[in-house]
Amino acid sequence: MNDKSSLSKKASLLHLNALSLADGMRSGAFRSLYKGQGLDFNGVREYLHGDDVRAIDWNVTARMGKPFVKVFDEERELDVFLILDTSLSMRFAGGKVSRIEKALECASLLTLASLRNASPVGAVLFDSEIHFSFAPEYGRDHAMLLLSRFDRFAGAGGLPYQAKEQGSCMENALNGAMKLLKKRTLVMIFSDFRMQGYFNAFGRLCQKNDVIAVRLCDDLDQKLPSAGTLLFNDMESRHRTYLPTSSRAFKSAWLADKQQGIALWKRECISRGGIPLVLSIEKDSFAQLQAFFSARKGL
């Protein structure tokens, strides 16, 4: 099969999967994330057992001496905003696909699904700097513009984009999103989260939006191949060191460290009001997204 027919087949599959994902959005898989939020305010009522504590109107509660919650009318539209990390560490590929390729594939699926549902969609891409940022908008032209930008960073039709500098401006991207989003929005952040100093901005973004932090992981995050002593190179810090990949003790310590790191990250996300999702770059993007939203349906 030549490259042209292969790309055509991939594009067709992307559209078909996006249609299925859009159906899931309409059936409530996306909408369940909002559960009483991101809606038009319509008054208050007394708190009932099982109500979302985030809906409590603290001003009315203080005046009345008992808890009251805000009541909302459901909006017809669901704004979606995608935040994609394209830094150097996201470009490492231990297998056939890199983290950034997987992130861009997921972003393309969500953009097409939003287009199918007539939902406004926007995005920001960053590494050591912000490369582009578009507020959520309706329409095919806007969606196609986003997809063309994703293609550029994925390297479709040519050499992939390469970050000029090390590091990540995640905090700036999150702060910029807060200024850009004018109403409650479903925000999805795709990154390996190998940076520091962004959680305060993450928490502020979660206060007014429904935020899903998608951590892209590969097999090396869980286990190392037994290949003797290998040279490892950190793409961000450029630190180089030899590691004994055949040592049982080292492999056990490697796994424990990775699992602990992910567990701590999940707890921090939840404590700030976000929703953590670990997504494998070796598994099907559509299947993982569909399973995630389906699992949240009715929560």
Side-chain angles (χ1 to χ4, degrees):
M1 181 180 292
N2 59 40
D3 290 342
K4 186 175 181 179
S5 61
S6 179
L7 287 172
S8 177
K9 183 177 180 180
K10 183 177 180 180
S12 297
L13 183 60
L14 194 66
H15 278 273
L16 286 173
N17 285 340
L19 291 178
S20 297
L21 197 59
D23 289 338
M25 293 166 68
R26 282 195 299 274
S27 68
F30 264 17
R31 184 68 66 186
S32 66
L33 289 170
Y34 277 62
K35 199 174 183 181
Q37 301 180 60
L39 312 174
D40 291 330
F41 180 67
N42 192 34
V44 297
R45 62 165 171 78
E46 285 191 41
Y47 174 87
L48 299 175
H49 178 70
D51 284 338
D52 191 337
V53 295
R54 293 176 297 179
I56 292 177
D57 188 315
W58 295 106
N59 291 327
V60 176
T61 296
R63 290 199 306 270
M64 302 302 292
K66 55 184 177 181
F68 278 76
V69 295
K70 298 176 182 178
V71 179
F72 299 88
D73 291 326
E74 187 174 1
E75 293 175 341
R76 295 179 61 187
E77 64 187 43
L78 174 66
D79 285 17
V80 178
F81 192 70
L82 310 170
I83 300 178
L84 284 85
D85 176 5
T86 66
S87 59
L88 287 169
S89 63
M90 287 284 287
R91 300 199 165 267
F92 171 75
K96 296 180 180 179
V97 181
S98 67
R99 286 177 172 84
I100 186 57
E101 287 175 301
K102 181 62 68 171
L104 291 166
E105 182 180 51
C106 290
S108 298
L109 274 169
L110 292 162
T111 298
L112 289 170
S114 298
L115 175 62
R116 172 76 175 180
N117 280 346
S119 295
V121 59
V124 58
L125 267 72
F126 71 94
D127 44 47
S128 58
E129 59 182 323
I130 303 294
H131 288 284
F132 76 81
S133 181
F134 294 109
E137 291 184 19
Y138 292 102
R140 180 179 176 79
D141 289 345
H142 179 70
M144 292 303 107
L145 175 61
L146 291 179
L147 292 173
S148 69
R149 292 299 183 98
F150 297 160
D151 273 350
R152 177 198 168 200
F153 279 80
L159 294 174
Y161 169 84
Q162 292 293 335
K164 296 179 181 178
E165 298 182 15
Q166 301 155 261
S168 166
C169 66
M170 170 76 85
E171 184 179 14
N172 290 344
L174 299 179
N175 286 330
M178 282 186 284
K179 296 177 182 177
L180 198 63
L181 301 176
K182 304 304 181 184
K183 53 178 286 191
R184 196 169 190 92
T185 299
L186 177 63
V187 180
M188 298 190 70
I189 308 169
F190 292 90
S191 175
D192 55 11
F193 294 95
R194 294 182 178 180
M195 71 286 287
Q196 302 292 327
Y198 65 87
F199 266 120
N200 286 337
F202 178 84
R204 290 191 295 270
L205 185 64
C206 291
Q207 290 175 7
K208 295 185 177 181
N209 301 279
D210 295 280
V211 183
I212 303 172
V214 185
R215 183 171 182 141
L216 285 305
C217 294
D218 65 14
D219 283 346
L220 289 179
D221 292 321
Q222 297 298 321
K223 59 183 179 181
L224 289 172
S226 296
T229 300
L230 294 179
L231 177 63
F232 281 70
N233 179 31
D234 188 303
M235 297 181 72
E236 294 287 357
S237 67
R238 302 296 170 87
H239 176 70
R240 294 159 63 89
T241 188
Y242 286 93
L243 300 177
T245 65
S246 295
S247 164
R248 285 188 182 181
F250 178 79
K251 292 174 77 167
S252 177
W254 173 279
L255 176 60
D257 178 71
K258 297 298 181 182
Q259 290 179 336
Q260 182 182 36
I262 290 176
L264 289 172
W265 170 80
K266 283 183 176 180
R267 287 200 292 271
E268 189 69 28
C269 284
I270 294 170
S271 71
R272 304 281 179 157
I275 303 168
L277 168 61
V278 176
L279 190 146
S280 170
I281 65 174
E282 281 85 14
K283 297 179 181 178
D284 181 77
S285 301
F286 163 71
Q288 292 182 89
L289 289 174
Q290 187 79 313
F292 171 74
F293 288 114
S294 295
R296 295 197 63 82
K297 187 175 180 180
L299 291 182

